[in-house]
Amino acid sequence: MAKLYFRYGAMGCGKTMQLLQVAFNYEERGHKVCVIKPATDTKNGTKLLTRIGPERETDFCFDKKTNLYDKIAKEYRGVQCVLVDEAQFLTKEQANQLMLVTIDFDIPVMCYGLRLNFRREDGGFDGATRLLQIAHDIEEIKTICECGRKATYNARFLDGNLVADGPDVLIDGTSDITYRAICPACYEKYLRRKK
Ligand SMILES: [Zn+2]
């Protein structure tokens, strides 16, 4: 039975790199995959890019209205695996649709994304919240904070100062905003320094 997987981790932990590796492994064995991402993530056009080099074109980008079950049923029934980047931007309904893809078509679906938004709010990302509730298989992709501990938060910085409020989606490069994956202790340190 195919499974719905959720691989989550902070920014820069190599989620997209892992996704590309899985796609490569399937294709090396002559299997087709379907690689998708949300249209929310427009900074790289329709491509998936990684910090360390490899990139690839997606099969399609989806918006919040895309019915992923119908789309895959019509156009991608023959694939061996569906791979979803930036899966935190799925809607709850789309996460449910991907579960049905595993059940009705016996196609495994591997979702990669953030667990928390930068404000660390419950339900900050509908897709991540739903995947954490329903996925068959959930695993963390680990990365390291500047202090050497495990980084679990994505912190937004403006001119070196932590930003704890604001909209979820701000595309990089629109201002002096940067994101860093940090541990809870460092997050508190920056938060208290602000006050
Ligand atoms: Zn730290």
Side-chain angles (χ1 to χ4, degrees):
M1 192 67 215
K3 287 182 182 172
L4 177 62
Y5 299 84
F6 185 35
R7 299 286 179 259
Y8 68 86
M11 281 174 161
C13 71
K15 294 184 287 294
T16 305
M17 193 62 208
Q18 282 205 11
L19 185 160
L20 294 182
Q21 180 71 55
V22 172
F24 179 85
N25 291 347
Y26 273 99
E27 289 171 340
E28 193 184 29
R29 290 160 180 78
H31 298 303
K32 282 204 170 74
V33 297
C34 172
V35 175
I36 65 178
K37 73 168 186 175
T40 324
D41 173 41
T42 51
K43 62 182 185 288
N44 306 319
T46 57
K47 271 188 182 169
L48 300 189
L49 300 186
T50 60
R51 285 172 309 144
I52 57 177
E55 57 179 70
R56 111 178 242 147
E57 195 56 53
T58 52
D59 290 281
F60 68 89
C61 293
F62 56 90
D63 62 30
K64 294 199 178 298
K65 289 181 191 141
T66 310
N67 185 316
L68 294 174
Y69 181 89
D70 288 349
K71 178 92 175 160
I72 291 163
K74 280 190 200 117
E75 298 172 36
Y76 296 95
R77 279 291 285 276
V79 303
Q80 295 294 313
C81 186
V82 174
L83 296 157
V84 186
D85 200 29
E86 304 287 352
Q88 71 273 10
F89 293 125
L90 292 163
T91 65
K92 178 182 174 186
E93 291 70 29
Q94 286 169 332
N96 293 340
Q97 289 158 13
L98 292 174
M99 172 57 91
L100 289 179
V101 165
T102 71
I103 294 169
D104 290 355
F105 311 141
D106 203 25
I107 300 172
V109 179
M110 301 195 69
C111 298
Y112 294 81
L114 302 173
R115 175 171 56 161
L116 275 174
N117 64 8
F118 77 97
R119 286 179 273 111
R120 305 179 300 161
E121 281 177 347
D122 185 31
F125 287 127
D126 292 344
T129 302
R130 191 59 178 158
L131 288 167
L132 288 168
Q133 290 168 339
I134 68 172
H136 293 98
D137 190 306
I138 297 168
E139 209 172 88
E140 182 175 31
I141 303 172
K142 295 178 178 67
T143 193
I144 302 296
C145 177
E146 58 207 28
C147 72
R149 296 188 191 95
K150 187 175 85 172
T152 49
Y153 294 163
N154 307 293
R156 181 183 285 178
F157 288 88
L158 178 61
D159 298 328
N161 296 310
L162 185 85
V163 181
D165 291 299
D168 274 338
V169 181
L170 269 188
I171 300 304
D172 300 353
T174 51
S175 64
D176 297 324
I177 294 226
T178 55
Y179 292 94
R180 266 148 55 195
I182 60 177
C183 75
C186 287
Y187 190 95
E188 289 303 327
K189 181 184 76 185
Y190 284 114
L191 198 61
R192 287 168 195 180
R193 187 182 292 174
K194 237 167 82 78
K195 283 169 186 167

